PDB file of all heavy atoms in Angstrom:
ATOM      1  N   MET A 450     -53.478  14.802   1.091  1.00  0.00           N
ATOM      2  CA  MET A 450     -54.594  13.848   1.347  1.00  0.00           C
ATOM      3  C   MET A 450     -54.527  13.289   2.741  1.00  0.00           C
ATOM      4  O   MET A 450     -55.527  13.041   3.371  1.00  0.00           O
ATOM      5  CB  MET A 450     -54.539  12.737   0.266  1.00  0.00           C
ATOM      6  CG  MET A 450     -54.923  13.233  -1.142  1.00  0.00           C
ATOM      7  SD  MET A 450     -55.072  11.928  -2.340  1.00  0.00           S
ATOM      8  CE  MET A 450     -53.334  11.591  -2.666  1.00  0.00           C
ATOM      9  N   ARG A 451     -53.264  13.077   3.225  1.00  0.00           N
ATOM     10  CA  ARG A 451     -53.097  12.595   4.554  1.00  0.00           C
ATOM     11  C   ARG A 451     -53.646  13.633   5.597  1.00  0.00           C
ATOM     12  O   ARG A 451     -54.305  13.252   6.580  1.00  0.00           O
ATOM     13  CB  ARG A 451     -51.641  12.251   4.831  1.00  0.00           C
ATOM     14  CG  ARG A 451     -51.338  11.812   6.234  1.00  0.00           C
ATOM     15  CD  ARG A 451     -49.817  11.465   6.403  1.00  0.00           C
ATOM     16  NE  ARG A 451     -49.521  11.112   7.748  1.00  0.00           N
ATOM     17  CZ  ARG A 451     -49.203  12.006   8.736  1.00  0.00           C
ATOM     18  NH1 ARG A 451     -49.201  13.228   8.429  1.00  0.00           N
ATOM     19  NH2 ARG A 451     -48.973  11.573   9.917  1.00  0.00           N
ATOM     20  N   THR A 452     -53.284  14.876   5.336  1.00  0.00           N
ATOM     21  CA  THR A 452     -53.729  15.973   6.251  1.00  0.00           C
ATOM     22  C   THR A 452     -55.232  16.104   6.188  1.00  0.00           C
ATOM     23  O   THR A 452     -55.885  16.399   7.199  1.00  0.00           O
ATOM     24  CB  THR A 452     -53.030  17.244   5.896  1.00  0.00           C
ATOM     25  OG1 THR A 452     -51.598  17.082   5.982  1.00  0.00           O
ATOM     26  CG2 THR A 452     -53.430  18.417   6.836  1.00  0.00           C
ATOM     27  N   LEU A 453     -55.835  15.939   5.025  1.00  0.00           N
ATOM     28  CA  LEU A 453     -57.324  16.027   4.855  1.00  0.00           C
ATOM     29  C   LEU A 453     -57.948  14.937   5.796  1.00  0.00           C
ATOM     30  O   LEU A 453     -58.934  15.150   6.419  1.00  0.00           O
ATOM     31  CB  LEU A 453     -57.732  15.814   3.425  1.00  0.00           C
ATOM     32  CG  LEU A 453     -57.617  17.031   2.569  1.00  0.00           C
ATOM     33  CD1 LEU A 453     -57.832  16.653   1.091  1.00  0.00           C
ATOM     34  CD2 LEU A 453     -58.585  18.076   2.969  1.00  0.00           C
ATOM     35  N   GLY A 454     -57.313  13.800   5.804  1.00  0.00           N
ATOM     36  CA  GLY A 454     -57.845  12.700   6.689  1.00  0.00           C
ATOM     37  C   GLY A 454     -57.728  13.035   8.151  1.00  0.00           C
ATOM     38  O   GLY A 454     -58.610  12.703   8.956  1.00  0.00           O
ATOM     39  N   ILE A 455     -56.643  13.701   8.550  1.00  0.00           N
ATOM     40  CA  ILE A 455     -56.458  14.156   9.957  1.00  0.00           C
ATOM     41  C   ILE A 455     -57.465  15.217  10.334  1.00  0.00           C
ATOM     42  O   ILE A 455     -58.010  15.205  11.430  1.00  0.00           O
ATOM     43  CB  ILE A 455     -54.974  14.612  10.158  1.00  0.00           C
ATOM     44  CG1 ILE A 455     -53.987  13.521   9.974  1.00  0.00           C
ATOM     45  CG2 ILE A 455     -54.843  15.192  11.557  1.00  0.00           C
ATOM     46  CD1 ILE A 455     -52.584  13.965   9.952  1.00  0.00           C
ATOM     47  N   LEU A 456     -57.691  16.119   9.411  1.00  0.00           N
ATOM     48  CA  LEU A 456     -58.643  17.198   9.677  1.00  0.00           C
ATOM     49  C   LEU A 456     -60.104  16.726   9.845  1.00  0.00           C
ATOM     50  O   LEU A 456     -60.865  17.296  10.579  1.00  0.00           O
ATOM     51  CB  LEU A 456     -58.651  18.269   8.560  1.00  0.00           C
ATOM     52  CG  LEU A 456     -57.453  19.232   8.509  1.00  0.00           C
ATOM     53  CD1 LEU A 456     -57.327  19.902   7.181  1.00  0.00           C
ATOM     54  CD2 LEU A 456     -57.538  20.231   9.653  1.00  0.00           C
ATOM     55  N   GLY A 457     -60.449  15.601   9.234  1.00  0.00           N
ATOM     56  CA  GLY A 457     -61.729  14.999   9.398  1.00  0.00           C
ATOM     57  C   GLY A 457     -62.681  15.402   8.268  1.00  0.00           C
ATOM     58  O   GLY A 457     -62.401  16.307   7.521  1.00  0.00           O
ATOM     59  N   ALA A 458     -63.810  14.683   8.240  1.00  0.00           N
ATOM     60  CA  ALA A 458     -64.782  14.903   7.175  1.00  0.00           C
ATOM     61  C   ALA A 458     -65.601  16.157   7.481  1.00  0.00           C
ATOM     62  O   ALA A 458     -65.928  16.410   8.630  1.00  0.00           O
ATOM     63  CB  ALA A 458     -65.741  13.661   7.003  1.00  0.00           C
ATOM     64  N   ARG A 459     -65.974  16.842   6.447  1.00  0.00           N
ATOM     65  CA  ARG A 459     -66.723  18.045   6.541  1.00  0.00           C
ATOM     66  C   ARG A 459     -67.711  18.176   5.400  1.00  0.00           C
ATOM     67  O   ARG A 459     -67.405  17.882   4.279  1.00  0.00           O
ATOM     68  CB  ARG A 459     -65.772  19.294   6.499  1.00  0.00           C
ATOM     69  CG  ARG A 459     -66.447  20.645   6.524  1.00  0.00           C
ATOM     70  CD  ARG A 459     -67.093  20.971   7.840  1.00  0.00           C
ATOM     71  NE  ARG A 459     -67.492  22.387   7.935  1.00  0.00           N
ATOM     72  CZ  ARG A 459     -68.237  22.885   8.941  1.00  0.00           C
ATOM     73  NH1 ARG A 459     -68.681  22.043   9.895  1.00  0.00           N
ATOM     74  NH2 ARG A 459     -68.555  24.161   8.955  1.00  0.00           N
ATOM     75  N   ASP A 460     -68.940  18.577   5.732  1.00  0.00           N
ATOM     76  CA  ASP A 460     -69.991  18.690   4.710  1.00  0.00           C
ATOM     77  C   ASP A 460     -69.569  19.771   3.694  1.00  0.00           C
ATOM     78  O   ASP A 460     -69.420  20.963   4.102  1.00  0.00           O
ATOM     79  CB  ASP A 460     -71.323  19.046   5.334  1.00  0.00           C
ATOM     80  CG  ASP A 460     -72.447  19.136   4.303  1.00  0.00           C
ATOM     81  OD1 ASP A 460     -72.181  18.935   3.089  1.00  0.00           O
ATOM     82  OD2 ASP A 460     -73.596  19.354   4.710  1.00  0.00           O
ATOM     83  N   PRO A 461     -69.298  19.469   2.469  1.00  0.00           N
ATOM     84  CA  PRO A 461     -68.855  20.480   1.482  1.00  0.00           C
ATOM     85  C   PRO A 461     -69.814  21.589   1.324  1.00  0.00           C
ATOM     86  O   PRO A 461     -69.378  22.744   1.028  1.00  0.00           O
ATOM     87  CB  PRO A 461     -68.741  19.703   0.190  1.00  0.00           C
ATOM     88  CG  PRO A 461     -68.584  18.301   0.601  1.00  0.00           C
ATOM     89  CD  PRO A 461     -69.431  18.147   1.843  1.00  0.00           C
ATOM     90  N   GLY A 462     -71.115  21.361   1.631  1.00  0.00           N
ATOM     91  CA  GLY A 462     -72.085  22.441   1.503  1.00  0.00           C
ATOM     92  C   GLY A 462     -71.893  23.535   2.524  1.00  0.00           C
ATOM     93  O   GLY A 462     -72.457  24.632   2.396  1.00  0.00           O
ATOM     94  N   LEU A 463     -71.197  23.211   3.617  1.00  0.00           N
ATOM     95  CA  LEU A 463     -70.964  24.178   4.698  1.00  0.00           C
ATOM     96  C   LEU A 463     -69.665  24.965   4.453  1.00  0.00           C
ATOM     97  O   LEU A 463     -69.277  25.801   5.262  1.00  0.00           O
ATOM     98  CB  LEU A 463     -70.920  23.524   6.081  1.00  0.00           C
ATOM     99  CG  LEU A 463     -72.192  22.788   6.528  1.00  0.00           C
ATOM    100  CD1 LEU A 463     -72.030  22.085   7.829  1.00  0.00           C
ATOM    101  CD2 LEU A 463     -73.356  23.740   6.530  1.00  0.00           C
ATOM    102  N   CYS A 464     -68.950  24.657   3.354  1.00  0.00           N
ATOM    103  CA  CYS A 464     -67.639  25.295   3.114  1.00  0.00           C
ATOM    104  C   CYS A 464     -67.786  26.134   1.871  1.00  0.00           C
ATOM    105  O   CYS A 464     -67.835  25.601   0.742  1.00  0.00           O
ATOM    106  CB  CYS A 464     -66.563  24.271   2.952  1.00  0.00           C
ATOM    107  SG  CYS A 464     -66.260  23.296   4.430  1.00  0.00           S
ATOM    108  N   PRO A 465     -67.851  27.467   1.995  1.00  0.00           N
ATOM    109  CA  PRO A 465     -67.950  28.379   0.789  1.00  0.00           C
ATOM    110  C   PRO A 465     -66.732  28.167  -0.112  1.00  0.00           C
ATOM    111  O   PRO A 465     -65.624  28.019   0.359  1.00  0.00           O
ATOM    112  CB  PRO A 465     -68.000  29.729   1.370  1.00  0.00           C
ATOM    113  CG  PRO A 465     -68.415  29.558   2.819  1.00  0.00           C
ATOM    114  CD  PRO A 465     -67.917  28.242   3.235  1.00  0.00           C
TER     115      PRO A 465
END
Side-chain angles (χ1 to χ4, degrees):
M450 290 186 284
R451 177 179 177 273
T452 301
L453 281 170
I455 296 174
L456 284 165
R459 175 69 168 170
D460 185 356
L463 300 177
C464 297

